[in-house]
Amino acid sequence: MAIIVPTNKSVEKFKGLHLYHGGISNCSMRVRMTLIEKGLDWESHHLDLKKKENISDSYFGINPNGLVPTLVDNGVVHIESNEIIDYLDQTYAQPSLRSGDEIELKSWLHLAASIHVPACKPYVYATKMAPKLKKTAEEQAKYNILQKNEELKNFHSKHAGDKDFSTSDLDKATAILDACFFKLEKTLEGRAWIMGDHYSLADISWIPLHFVLLGCGYPFTDYSNIQRWAAAFAKKDSFREGVLKWCPDFAEV
């Protein structure tokens, strides 16, 4: 469980559920969807990522990676979105978002988490977001001081200043995504949802990836099962309220 002790002690006084999140963040989307599916009350702390509102001493004192989302549950700080949604489902048991084999469920959550920095972020930044999230020299210097995670620091160095992501970066990211969505397409053969007949955390983990990558031009046209699945989740209130309310169309971001 990704629980951390914050250096910004103000959040330890929070009562109830508080979520630090970004409208355009796919990781934030899955936590918002889970909170809505569970019918939980939560206080929103929205950070505008395009304005670099996450790059501050205050926020790095809450989440040492400077990433969203961060969940604070009665003063206890949780980071890493797939662990957060698993925590919420286990802690607030009804309605359950678990279905089928627990090992398979956890494997889908783990896979979504494992491709975030190697594939999802490079694809999204290289195809769309890098120019929109360019840091000024001052912002970059501030980020380099605050950020202690070398993987994230290395990732963001690739589009710092006048730099752009290389073709090889995009090719590597695309190859990983192709393999994952091929697996998802095959898994959805004969299934309404990833785990079978019941909507679960596995779907919530992957729905935002589909939404954001579709907005970045990833080609889903050859994935008929994924398209059917997408049409089904588009009807859900948690998708409308947890994703579209905060980011109506990622293609327009």
Side-chain angles (χ1 to χ4, degrees):
M1 182 65 63
I3 295 174
I4 61 103
V5 177
T7 57
N8 181 345
K9 296 300 182 182
S10 64
V11 297
E12 295 184 326
K13 300 175 184 177
F14 286 175
K15 301 298 182 184
L17 291 165
H18 292 248
L19 182 67
Y20 289 85
H21 62 114
I24 62 175
S25 156
N26 69 82
C27 294
S28 296
M29 292 173 190
R30 58 173 65 110
V31 178
R32 292 194 298 259
M33 290 179 69
T34 303
L35 289 164
I36 293 164
E37 286 286 342
K38 304 292 284 187
L40 295 168
D41 293 325
W42 53 286
E43 185 165 336
S44 170
H45 301 263
H46 181 257
L47 298 176
D48 190 330
L49 303 181
K50 292 171 76 174
K51 294 180 179 179
K52 322 298 189 309
E53 289 180 352
N54 59 313
I55 305 177
S56 69
D57 294 276
S58 175
Y59 188 63
F60 268 81
I62 300 168
N63 185 320
N65 293 323
L67 299 175
V68 287
T70 300
L71 179 79
V72 185
D73 187 358
N74 287 308
V76 179
V77 179
H78 302 257
I79 61 174
E80 307 296 347
S81 62
N82 282 289
E83 296 200 29
I84 291 173
I85 66 174
D86 191 28
Y87 163 79
L88 287 170
D89 194 51
Q90 294 191 60
T91 304
Y92 301 92
Q94 298 300 324
S96 175
L97 292 169
R98 310 187 98 72
S99 179
D101 181 79
E102 185 73 7
I103 294 176
E104 183 184 1
L105 174 65
K106 289 294 184 69
S107 73
W108 281 107
L109 298 183
H110 175 74
L111 182 59
S114 71
I115 66 172
H116 183 63
V117 177
C120 297
K121 284 176 77 72
Y123 192 94
V124 170
Y125 273 70
T127 57
K128 187 174 186 66
M129 295 306 296
K132 300 174 185 293
L133 296 177
K134 283 284 187 185
K135 299 177 183 68
T136 65
E138 183 180 1
E139 289 168 340
Q140 188 66 50
K142 179 75 169 178
Y143 182 81
N144 288 340
I145 291 170
L146 292 171
Q147 184 59 264
K148 307 305 180 186
N149 183 311
E150 290 301 322
E151 183 181 36
L152 290 171
K153 188 178 286 189
N154 178 62
F155 170 80
H156 286 289
S157 71
K158 292 185 176 183
H159 68 103
D162 296 327
K163 296 179 183 177
D164 290 311
F165 284 92
S166 69
T167 301
S168 63
D169 288 327
L170 181 58
D171 287 346
K172 289 175 185 176
T174 302
I176 294 170
L177 294 175
D178 288 348
C180 290
F181 285 111
F182 179 80
K183 177 180 179 178
L184 181 58
E185 173 73 8
K186 292 300 181 183
T187 299
L188 287 168
E189 185 71 44
R191 293 185 178 186
W193 302 105
I194 294 177
M195 295 299 296
D197 294 334
H198 299 286
Y199 182 75
S200 74
L201 292 177
D203 301 290
I204 290 173
S205 184
W206 283 83
I207 285 166
L209 295 180
H210 176 275
F211 174 76
V212 169
L213 290 167
L214 181 66
C216 291
Y218 184 84
F220 285 102
T221 51
D222 293 334
Y223 297 109
S224 59
N225 292 324
I226 291 177
Q227 291 186 69
R228 170 178 50 78
W229 170 73
F233 71 63
K235 299 175 183 177
K236 295 189 71 66
D237 288 342
S238 59
F239 178 71
R240 291 192 292 266
E241 293 297 313
V243 177
L244 299 183
K245 176 182 175 180
W246 297 93
C247 183
D249 186 347
F250 199 82
E252 299 300 320
V253 171

